[in-house]
Amino acid sequence: MDFAFVSGDPALDLTGTVGSRRDEPNDLLATPADLERWVAECDELPDRVAVDSATFESALALREALYRLALDRVLDRPFDPAGLEIVNEMAAGPVLTLRLSDAGLHRSGNLRAVLSHMARSGIALLADPRACLKECGRADCTRIYLDRSRGARRTWCGMDACGNRVKAAAYRARRRASTTTDTPVAPHGALPKRDQR
């Protein structure tokens, strides 16, 4: 399974590891190994962390709390108190260690530091009144993303996964509609005039 990092913020990308929250949710973080892989693939996090069952459960609790708070922001309603408590508590944890070298920035730390970093990232985003958060416009996708487009006109969380699907479905629908309107309808058993000889 491939992870998508299209939400514009690592905290939102974490919430997006549930592919859809309607009907039948598709959870991409089914095991601690999945979370280890997700952390390694996220650019803002360490290359490697170890995940045990307790920290795995903490990560899932943080993910769900961040999602509830982001959805509250999208729907312009007060923040969920239980979600606030989880996120604020996680943000008070240890910090990632940063090292600069000629090769660039290197981040290190354990999963508790990763979760603390994710909680802080979520807090900074959710507290920013100028941040434009939206839910993806594709019916089957519930990913929340940060819209930084000009005029805040972005519709989908990402073009690869959702935008292309919506555009392809619309194209197929137009093709079907034009095919049915272009085909002449003849009485039962008769050929259309242009085919009669």
Side-chain angles (χ1 to χ4, degrees):
M1 81 189 83
D2 292 326
F3 297 118
F5 296 91
V6 296
S7 300
D9 185 272
L12 294 179
D13 285 326
L14 178 63
T15 69
T17 58
V18 176
S20 176
R21 293 172 182 269
R22 296 184 190 104
D23 301 328
E24 296 180 30
N26 176 24
D27 193 341
L28 301 179
L29 300 182
T31 68
D34 294 333
L35 180 57
E36 288 175 353
R37 218 165 41 74
W38 184 86
V39 170
E41 290 181 24
C42 183
D43 287 340
E44 290 194 28
L45 299 176
D47 294 337
R48 179 168 297 173
V49 294
V51 179
D52 60 28
S53 57
T55 52
F56 179 65
E57 292 303 319
S58 294
L60 297 183
L62 176 63
R63 176 186 69 181
E64 295 310 304
L66 286 168
Y67 176 76
R68 284 193 306 272
L69 297 179
L71 186 60
D72 289 340
R73 174 75 188 274
V74 168
L75 298 176
D76 195 27
R77 63 188 184 197
F79 286 133
D80 171 63
L84 284 174
E85 185 176 342
I86 291 169
V87 171
N88 287 330
E89 183 179 317
M90 294 270 191
V95 297
L96 292 174
T97 300
L98 303 179
R99 277 198 337 264
L100 181 64
S101 71
D102 290 334
L105 182 65
H106 177 74
R107 296 170 179 88
S108 61
N110 62 16
L111 185 62
R112 288 186 60 234
V114 166
L115 297 181
S116 179
H117 178 79
M118 302 301 292
R120 281 193 205 83
S121 180
I123 287 171
L125 177 67
L126 294 170
D128 183 352
R130 294 161 301 167
C132 179
L133 299 185
K134 294 181 178 178
E135 185 178 77
C136 183
R138 186 170 68 89
D140 293 340
C141 183
T142 55
R143 181 183 292 268
I144 296 174
Y145 63 93
L146 176 59
D147 184 358
R148 291 187 179 116
S149 67
R150 183 185 300 225
R153 296 192 335 219
R154 185 171 154 193
T155 306
W156 307 290
C157 61
M159 279 304 294
D160 289 344
C162 292
N164 287 338
R165 286 184 191 179
V166 171
K167 288 183 173 195
Y171 173 76
R172 287 191 300 273
R174 284 192 307 273
R175 291 279 314 242
R176 279 194 301 272
S178 70
T179 302
T180 57
T181 57
D182 291 346
T183 305
V185 178
H188 182 68
L191 294 173
K193 284 186 179 181
R194 67 172 187 249
D195 292 336
Q196 291 178 349
R197 298 199 170 143

